[in-house]
Amino acid sequence: MSIVGENLRLMENVLGRMTTPRAAGMGAALGAWFGLPSSLMVLLVTGPWAALLAGMAFGALLGAAFGVTACWAARGRGDLLTNQSLVAARYAVVADVAIADDARNLLIKHGWRTG
């Protein structure tokens, strides 16, 4: 059984503008996530927990710097935060002949199709 979407279109919802503080925050969060695995490897070798925090802080600082640089480089062209989704105008359920009746009954049972 398959669900097929027809007449697909890309919907893009604008969430807001990319500001310098927002870019720095998003870059810092991403940098901290990249700093976490490397600092965990250092932690396994050296032992002190300070290495974990230092690695995450260093990653956050580098991520914030890269985020601000990217924001300044893209200033004026595409500096909007958006959320994209693929939407179909109509959906069709395609099923093998052997299970078509069961699929139809399920659709009727859940109120997705009448009759």
Side-chain angles (χ1 to χ4, degrees):
M1 183 164 61
S2 301
I3 299 175
V4 180
E6 298 175 359
N7 295 330
L8 298 177
R9 50 178 202 233
L10 183 66
M11 298 292 292
E12 197 165 10
N13 298 322
V14 177
L15 303 174
R17 286 208 171 272
M18 176 61 83
T19 61
T20 303
R22 186 177 280 176
M26 290 171 66
L30 186 62
W33 275 112
F34 278 122
L36 180 64
S38 61
S39 61
L40 281 174
M41 286 187 270
V42 171
L43 177 69
L44 290 175
V45 174
T46 61
W49 285 94
L52 179 68
L53 295 176
M56 288 180 65
F58 184 69
L61 286 173
L62 281 180
F66 283 121
V68 169
T69 303
C71 180
W72 286 342
R75 183 69 57 194
R77 352 172 234 117
D79 57 347
L80 295 175
L81 286 175
T82 61
N83 182 16
Q84 294 181 348
S85 59
L86 198 59
V87 179
R90 182 174 167 311
Y91 292 97
V93 177
V94 180
D96 293 332
V97 175
I99 62 167
D101 286 333
D102 292 336
R104 186 179 303 112
N105 291 335
L106 278 174
L107 289 173
I108 293 170
K109 177 183 173 184
H110 291 289
W112 296 330
R113 179 177 177 215
T114 57

